[in-house]
Amino acid sequence: MSDMNRYLSEVVRTIPPSGIRKFFDLVSQTEGVISLGVGEPDFVTPWHIREASWYSLEKGYTMYTSNSGLMELREEVAAYEKRKVGVEYNPDGEILITVGVSEAVDIALRALIEPGDEVLIPDPSYVSYAPGARLAFGQAVPVPTYDQDEYRLRADVLESCITPKSKVLILTFPSNPTGAIMQKDDLAAIAAVVKKHDLIVISDEIYGELTYYGQHASIAALPEMRDRTILMNGFSKAYAMTGWRIGYACGHRDIIAAMTKIHQYTIMCAPIMAQKAALEALRNGEEQMRKMVENYNHRRKLLLNGFEEIGLDCFEPRGAFYCFPSIKSTPFNSEEFCERLLQEEKVAAVPGNAFGSNGEGFIRCCYAASVKDLEEAIIRMGNFLNRHR
Ligand code: PLP
């Protein structure tokens, strides 16, 4: 049998592959590329975290844990969220340890969505949300965000996208791909719309530690929002632990119980060695994490200054490790721009439209690259712009 596609479910067949992956297949075929493409820390996980996991293996911690995750890790997560965003969760029933935020988003959507329910998703945003909504048989509804608003989600724009089928709003601040943040006042306006229309919020706060102007604020901390919000966070970005695959979800116990049901039948539990590592990160990782964040901030300024020098417009991103400059002064759309930049100058960035149609006219540049590479990338991008403007 040559074509097996007819066996595939309609929903899987019709989901497009990630625009990022498509682009990175191209990058892997080109030598000598400076990559501002992958959204991943360039640090190795701090040694004390690796060591804690290693010791746990040595001591024989190789079995399943409770479906919800190690109780001591859930207790540390509860203490962390109380300390950082001021929201209290009971480790017994209100916290679930997951295989990254990726799993948390997937099972939250599957727990909440009835066929045809609408999931409101800021556009542009992280590539997994819309496919996640579709895989849960929901409908992804983009809510445009704009560079003139510094890519904050606006309450009036959100409200204009709401229909009787709207059920879930995904918030993702600090944002991938824009680096935008939402402060308390911005969130309060969104919370009012959420309450008025009886929505549930999935708040992906994976970049919460990577803010460069004051502390991260969570919508879960606003009045009457705790039980309407599933707060998610993970270790991939702040602690440079992408490969460990560990994250968590906190929320109302009915919702966490429903998510735990799916988790229990599909995943069983997050790997124990990764849970041990995460425990060490929360207990003793603050100092090293702060150093990494300072380092990202230095590189953020370097890239922003570089863009200014070569005349590439970019609003100042205040979180995560991305810049999202406009390429509208060139004759190219974002895919053409990235393909030609790769071919002509061997610099990889991600086309903005990979994150939603509202990302067209922009490119995502991740500054978790070495200073030397960032400086060289700016020179090469400057040469490219000189040739094409
Ligand atoms: N959420 C956002 C906004 C991300 O950018 C990413 C990874 O790039 C993820 C979630 C995935 O996180 P994890 O590694 O915890 O699955």
Side-chain angles (χ1 to χ4, degrees):
M1 287 191 283
S2 55
D3 182 9
M4 301 300 275
N5 281 309
R6 65 198 165 94
Y7 289 100
L8 303 180
S9 77
E10 199 244 330
V11 67
V12 170
R13 232 180 322 111
T14 53
I15 290 177
S18 158
I20 300 193
R21 282 292 138 224
K22 195 176 88 187
F23 197 70
F24 279 95
D25 289 344
L26 257 181
V27 172
S28 65
Q29 293 155 16
T30 320
E31 269 191 24
V33 173
I34 295 180
S35 179
L36 310 183
V38 187
E40 173 159 51
D42 62 333
F43 296 105
V44 174
T45 308
W47 170 244
H48 69 103
I49 297 175
R50 285 184 273 154
E51 191 178 45
S53 178
W54 187 18
Y55 282 155
S56 79
L57 285 175
E58 198 182 32
K59 286 183 197 142
Y61 286 102
T62 56
M63 60 293 281
Y64 295 132
T65 69
S66 142
N67 294 133
S68 305
L70 292 169
M71 179 48 103
E72 52 186 347
L73 177 56
R74 283 180 275 146
E75 283 167 356
E76 286 299 335
V77 166
Y80 173 88
E81 291 301 341
K82 185 174 174 196
R83 190 166 76 238
K84 292 284 173 167
V85 295
V87 189
E88 291 193 41
Y89 294 102
N90 187 337
D92 184 11
E94 295 186 327
I95 296 174
L96 171 65
I97 306 299
T98 56
V99 178
V101 172
S102 303
E103 190 217 343
V105 171
D106 175 42
I107 62 177
L109 288 167
R110 286 200 273 157
L112 295 170
I113 297 300
E114 299 277 12
D117 281 347
E118 291 178 355
V119 181
L120 298 145
I121 304 173
D123 179 3
S125 65
Y126 178 51
V127 293
S128 291
Y129 303 137
R134 283 286 293 126
L135 286 168
F137 303 103
Q139 200 60 45
V141 175
V143 184
T145 58
Y146 301 101
D147 61 340
Q148 60 267 30
D149 299 325
E150 300 195 329
Y151 284 106
R152 283 185 288 253
L153 180 65
R154 264 181 24 212
D156 60 327
V157 180
L158 171 63
E159 192 148 29
S160 71
C161 296
I162 290 177
T163 76
K165 289 189 171 173
S166 305
K167 185 161 192 188
V168 174
L169 166 66
I170 299 187
L171 282 186
T172 168
F173 294 96
S175 159
N176 173 9
T178 65
I181 60 167
M182 294 275 279
Q183 278 159 337
K184 246 191 184 148
D185 289 352
D186 308 314
L187 291 170
I190 298 299
V193 177
V194 166
K195 285 187 265 184
K196 181 175 161 194
H197 295 277
D198 196 21
L199 304 177
I200 291 277
V201 177
I202 290 178
S203 185
D204 176 350
E205 303 184 13
I206 195 164
Y207 295 100
E209 290 289 359
L210 278 68
T211 55
Y212 309 108
Y213 285 83
Q215 199 151 327
H216 166 67
S218 172
I219 196 163
L222 298 180
E224 300 160 53
M225 285 305 295
R226 178 192 178 280
D227 288 350
R228 277 190 185 278
T229 304
I230 311 173
L231 188 164
M232 297 175 184
N233 204 339
F235 297 82
S236 289
K237 312 293 170 164
Y239 297 96
M241 290 175 66
T242 47
W244 298 80
R245 311 308 306 127
I246 190 96
Y248 57 86
C250 311
H252 188 282
R253 62 177 57 246
D254 293 348
I255 293 178
I256 295 297
M259 289 170 62
T260 306
K261 235 192 300 186
I262 307 172
H263 174 81
Q264 154 187 0
Y265 288 128
T266 51
I267 302 290
M268 200 93 97
C269 66
I272 190 168
M273 52 290 269
Q275 293 194 52
K276 289 283 185 186
L279 187 62
E280 172 66 16
L282 287 183
R283 285 187 176 158
N284 299 308
E286 179 88 18
E287 193 185 328
Q288 293 235 38
M289 184 261 288
R290 291 261 71 86
K291 280 191 193 148
M292 291 191 270
V293 174
E294 263 172 46
N295 204 298
Y296 293 136
N297 195 16
H298 172 69
R299 295 185 257 173
R300 179 182 73 98
K301 291 178 193 159
L302 191 149
L303 194 60
L304 271 179
N305 289 340
F307 285 162
E308 199 176 327
E309 275 164 29
I310 62 174
L312 203 56
D313 280 346
C314 188
F315 95 97
E316 184 181 352
R318 292 172 183 229
F321 38 46
Y322 307 106
C323 287
F324 203 60
S326 165
I327 47 110
K328 288 178 182 167
S329 61
T330 73
F332 307 126
N333 66 29
S334 60
E335 272 185 48
E336 288 162 353
F337 185 98
C338 289
E339 273 173 33
R340 294 187 71 138
L341 183 66
L342 182 62
Q343 282 158 5
E344 294 176 28
E345 295 290 342
K346 297 193 174 182
V347 174
V350 184
N353 69 347
F355 306 95
S357 57
N358 217 41
E360 184 47 77
F362 298 83
I363 59 170
R364 188 191 77 174
C365 300
C366 174
Y367 50 82
S370 72
V371 166
K372 186 167 149 276
D373 276 0
L374 290 174
E375 286 171 344
E376 178 61 23
I378 291 162
I379 294 171
R380 294 186 190 183
M381 288 172 87
N383 294 340
F384 182 80
L385 290 173
N386 286 341
R387 263 201 315 281
H388 295 294
R389 271 202 300 225

